[in-house]
Amino acid sequence: MPSLKWMAAEGRPRIFPIYKKITAIGRGGANDVSIDDPGLEEFHAQLVFDGRDFLLSDVDKAPVFVNGKKKRRAKIFHNDRIQLGEVELVFSVYDEIVDTAEQEDRSAELAGMMKLSEFNRRLLQIRSVPEQIDALLDAVIEVTHAAKGFIILLEDGQARIAAARNLDKKDIPDGVRHLSDSIIQRCVETQQPLIVSDALHDTMFKESESVMNLKLCSVMVAPLIVQGQMLGLIYVGNDNVVSLFEQTSLDVLTIFAGQASLILQNALLLDQLVLDKSRMAEQLDDKRFGDILGGCPPLLDVLQKVEKVAATDISVLITGETGTGKELIAGAIHRRSQRAKGPFVVVNCGAIPENLMESELFGHVRGAFTGAVSTRIGKFQQADGGTLFLDEIGEMPLHLQVKMLRVLQERVVMKVGDNKAEPIDIRVVAATNRDLEAEIQKGNFREDLYYRLNVVNLHLPPLRERGDDVVVIAKYFLKKYAAEYGAKVKGFTPGALAAMRKYEWPGNIRQLENRIKKAVVLADKTLIGPEDLDLFPEALAPIVPLSQAREEFTRRYILEVLERNNGNRTKTARDLGVDPRTIFRYLEREPNAPRPGQD
């Protein structure tokens, strides 16, 4: 292998193998033959092999002597002595004994791999993304012998410099003026790495205004691509040495570009997580009504009614399945009413034993029954000046319903064992998951009490009918319980989100909350999957044939319109544009269909 031997003033001679078509010689670290001597220029000379001969030429008229004679350009032969400043080199066209370690160090590809390995070790200690990018650029500049390097990002089709560094590991101010628009555009269009050996004389770029103004020599670019999308490119150059870069240099740059792509992808993912967190907070604020989350049309209709009825003392009956948030709606009515400063007392009629319910609601006097050792006020008097929420009112025994009706009509309460009525100032909000009209037909609920309670009805939709509200509520619970339990869980997998949307949620919001609480505590990963929520495929509603789904929708819609028309089948058939016999056919299949009205 041809080589240059440096006859150093001290120590043994150093041998530089010549393995490239163009070998740069000078004091700067970007040279192939780098000798730290003050008599040398940063880029002093270059040795070019044209396939047959070796030609030595100066750079910017730096002094060059061959066998004692000053030369600007000269053909050199075996054993020729080259003088550059105070540095003397001997050229040899034959193999010299060279240390194996030095050969490895001078191999561009191996040096690049070693530098990448060293950089990856450093990367583990660098947290800041800008610092990671700077460190990567410094490594690229060193291993490719470039004089400068840039990380360029594409934002809305426009190039923006994310980092600009020079050989001294310092930032380049106003880096954009050092770049060629035409070379960048070529890389963006092809999305392929590119070497420009001598930009001023390159047939593709010599007419470029930026190339001529910058007097560019060697340029090399490689795209930064993540999941098929081009994020930007990495650009290195040297304006003093032509044909500095070879294919091995481009291979190394491409590898470093892959590493830069990973850094940028992680940074973008982090930014996306921060953005998602911010968006989620905004979404929760937008879809929050006190403690109530959601924005589906049926819920918004309920909330609009809450705003209207809250300011009055009108009686409200909240209906809906178990776990739909009836107590939250009652609390929202109280907080928005003129009684907001008064007490909000909750009574679960289904949780109190029947023999204790009268005393619990109305209170008792001392000695009224065994164990009544003192006089005690009931829930009605506790709620004086505020709101009494009677949950699961459908569980109340008939004999207490009579007394309840009197309290609501006369606004007085009489304790058990007492004969004196005491006035109260309360608002009653009741709730039930039962069909009270059906209970009236069965004789389990008083019709007069029903109409007293049901002045305004607020029906809460089940979770399965609330669309994407299930995701909003799930993210809220996840954030709440992850903070409460100090869990590492950060979100849901796409599969979990899809499964939550598909599941019927018979227990509604309460069931969702319990599933997420359990998943947060037990999950081993940062993202909760469907299996963590016990949402296995068999738990989801089965897929039915399209004809069956259409039939079920038709049936539900006919019954809904029939109910709106108070059971009038003729009007319903006219509104739907069908034969009345169609209505009869669906009524025969539905035992709980609305009772027919006057046709």
Side-chain angles (χ1 to χ4, degrees):
M1 178 185 291
S3 63
L4 287 172
K5 182 188 295 184
W6 176 30
M7 312 303 292
E10 297 180 2
R12 62 176 182 167
R14 284 185 58 189
I15 296 175
F16 300 92
I18 306 301
Y19 58 91
K20 297 171 64 175
K21 292 180 181 179
I22 300 176
T23 301
I25 308 169
R27 177 166 47 85
N31 292 282
D32 300 298
V33 177
S34 177
I35 301 174
D36 189 12
D37 186 280
L40 285 181
E41 297 294 334
E42 185 81 9
F43 298 96
H44 202 109
Q46 62 182 14
L47 186 61
V48 180
F49 179 60
D50 63 6
R52 186 182 67 177
D53 298 320
F54 286 91
L55 302 173
L56 181 70
S57 59
D58 64 20
V59 175
D60 289 339
K61 299 182 180 180
V64 174
F65 293 85
V66 178
N67 297 325
K69 296 182 179 180
K70 188 173 183 180
K71 300 284 186 178
R72 290 290 310 279
R73 180 180 177 86
K75 187 184 297 185
I76 60 171
F77 301 93
H78 181 62
N79 277 338
D80 277 353
R81 305 178 74 81
I82 300 170
Q83 189 81 24
L84 306 176
E86 300 298 323
V87 174
E88 183 176 306
L89 304 167
V90 178
F91 176 70
S92 173
V93 296
Y94 305 116
D95 287 342
E96 295 276 354
I97 299 174
V98 183
D99 291 340
T100 303
E102 185 169 310
Q103 285 181 330
E104 291 178 350
D105 288 343
R106 301 305 297 172
S107 168
E109 193 166 2
L110 181 58
M113 297 304 100
M114 293 175 65
K115 199 66 186 177
L116 181 61
S117 177
E118 176 189 339
F119 168 73
N120 284 335
R121 286 194 298 270
R122 285 194 58 208
L123 197 61
L124 298 175
Q125 303 171 352
I126 304 175
R127 292 189 175 183
S128 164
V129 172
E131 289 179 358
Q132 290 177 349
I133 292 296
D134 287 348
L136 183 137
L137 266 183
D138 292 341
V140 169
I141 291 170
E142 181 177 345
V143 79
T144 61
H145 304 297
K148 57 190 175 183
F150 306 86
I151 294 289
I152 302 165
L153 299 181
L154 300 177
E155 297 177 350
D156 297 327
Q158 301 297 316
R160 178 181 70 81
I161 295 179
R165 305 280 282 180
N166 61 23
L167 186 61
D168 298 326
K169 299 183 178 180
K170 295 180 180 178
D171 292 335
I172 301 176
D174 193 18
V176 69
R177 67 183 182 87
H178 295 266
L179 299 173
S180 166
D181 294 338
S182 56
I183 294 176
I184 292 172
Q185 186 62 33
R186 179 66 178 173
C187 181
V188 171
E189 290 173 354
T190 63
Q191 296 193 9
Q192 296 294 324
L194 174 69
I195 291 179
V196 183
S197 298
D198 185 358
L200 280 171
H201 299 93
D202 190 283
T203 55
M204 184 177 295
F205 300 108
K206 66 181 181 180
E207 301 298 330
S208 167
E209 184 177 344
S210 59
V211 168
M212 291 188 291
N213 291 341
L214 295 171
K215 298 181 180 179
L216 299 179
C217 290
S218 299
V219 176
M220 187 164 53
V221 291
L224 305 177
I225 298 177
V226 174
Q227 296 179 345
Q229 179 182 0
M230 186 169 177
L231 301 180
L233 52 99
I234 186 168
Y235 177 117
V236 295
N238 191 312
D239 298 339
N240 297 299
V241 181
V242 298
S243 302
L244 174 63
F245 306 122
E246 294 189 334
Q247 184 59 44
T248 53
S249 303
L250 189 61
D251 293 340
V252 170
L253 182 68
T254 303
I255 294 171
F256 271 90
Q259 185 67 61
S261 298
L262 290 176
I263 294 173
L264 291 173
Q265 182 184 29
N266 290 337
L268 291 174
L269 287 174
L270 181 61
D271 288 346
Q272 189 63 42
L273 284 174
V274 173
L275 183 61
D276 284 348
K277 184 177 180 181
S278 175
R279 283 177 176 171
M280 189 181 81
E282 292 177 2
Q283 189 180 39
L284 289 177
D285 287 340
D286 291 342
K287 296 191 175 184
R288 182 184 290 275
F289 187 86
D291 294 328
I292 304 160
L293 292 174
C296 68
L299 181 65
L300 291 178
D301 182 57
V302 171
L303 299 181
Q304 289 175 358
K305 291 179 180 177
V306 168
E307 291 281 14
K308 293 178 180 178
V309 303
T312 70
D313 265 354
I314 197 169
S315 295
V316 176
L317 178 64
I318 305 171
T319 57
E321 297 177 8
T322 298
T324 50
K326 295 187 286 292
E327 185 174 337
L328 293 179
I329 292 293
I333 293 172
H334 172 71
R335 286 190 298 274
R336 284 164 172 75
S337 72
Q338 297 176 353
R339 300 175 178 271
K341 294 182 180 179
F344 177 67
V345 178
V346 178
V347 179
N348 187 337
C349 299
I352 305 173
E354 185 174 336
N355 60 331
L356 297 178
M357 188 176 292
E358 184 175 4
S359 172
E360 188 72 19
L361 291 174
F362 308 120
H364 61 260
V365 296
R366 179 180 179 183
F369 51 82
T370 302
V373 296
S374 62
T375 299
R376 178 173 175 268
I377 64 172
K379 297 295 186 183
F380 274 88
Q381 287 180 294
Q382 290 178 26
D384 192 48
T387 302
L388 178 66
F389 174 52
L390 298 173
D391 198 9
E392 303 303 343
I393 188 68
E395 306 292 333
M396 181 175 287
L398 275 170
H399 73 277
L400 285 182
Q401 293 179 27
V402 177
K403 194 167 185 178
M404 171 75 69
L405 183 63
R406 180 178 177 230
V407 171
L408 295 178
Q409 289 174 338
E410 300 180 12
R411 298 291 171 174
V412 295
V413 65
M414 186 178 297
K415 296 183 181 72
V416 177
D418 200 359
N419 56 10
K420 182 180 66 174
E422 301 177 53
I424 53 171
D425 177 23
I426 64 169
R427 177 185 193 166
V428 173
V429 177
T432 182
N433 62 355
R434 291 191 176 192
D435 182 350
L436 292 186
E437 291 187 356
E439 294 299 311
I440 291 171
Q441 296 301 313
K442 297 175 185 177
N444 296 330
F445 202 84
R446 291 184 61 92
E447 188 172 13
D448 48 3
L449 177 60
Y450 170 72
Y451 289 119
R452 174 67 66 175
L453 294 171
N454 189 31
V455 179
V456 172
N457 177 249
L458 301 178
H459 181 73
L460 297 185
L463 191 55
R464 62 182 173 275
E465 296 178 4
R466 291 180 56 178
D468 282 342
D469 280 2
V470 64
V471 174
V472 176
I473 297 169
K475 289 181 177 179
Y476 168 78
F477 285 140
L478 179 71
K479 179 181 177 183
K480 173 184 176 181
Y481 291 116
E484 183 175 330
Y485 299 129
K488 63 181 180 180
V489 177
K490 303 297 181 186
F492 298 97
T493 65
L497 295 175
M500 283 191 289
R501 290 186 178 98
K502 293 177 182 177
Y503 187 53
E504 292 290 332
W505 297 110
N508 293 293
I509 298 172
R510 189 177 296 119
Q511 182 187 15
L512 174 65
E513 180 178 11
N514 290 337
R515 293 276 183 96
I516 291 176
K517 189 186 299 185
K518 185 197 79 168
V520 167
V521 173
L522 298 181
D524 297 322
K525 297 168 288 188
T526 55
L527 294 179
I528 289 177
E531 64 281 357
D532 298 311
L533 298 168
D534 296 331
L535 297 180
F536 301 101
E538 58 270 19
L540 303 179
I543 297 175
V544 299
L546 183 60
S547 58
Q548 181 180 341
R550 187 184 297 113
E551 182 74 7
E552 290 179 358
F553 170 78
T554 303
R555 177 182 57 81
R556 288 196 304 269
Y557 188 62
I558 286 176
L559 293 175
E560 179 184 331
V561 176
L562 187 65
E563 185 174 3
R564 289 172 58 182
N565 287 334
N566 296 317
N568 189 318
R569 291 166 292 186
T570 303
K571 186 175 187 307
T572 299
R574 187 168 57 249
D575 289 344
L576 295 176
V578 298
D579 190 284
R581 286 174 293 184
T582 302
I583 308 300
F584 282 103
R585 178 164 60 88
Y586 280 99
L587 283 177
E588 290 173 356
R589 300 180 186 179
E590 185 62 37
N592 296 321
R595 290 173 295 170
Q598 185 67 38
D599 281 0

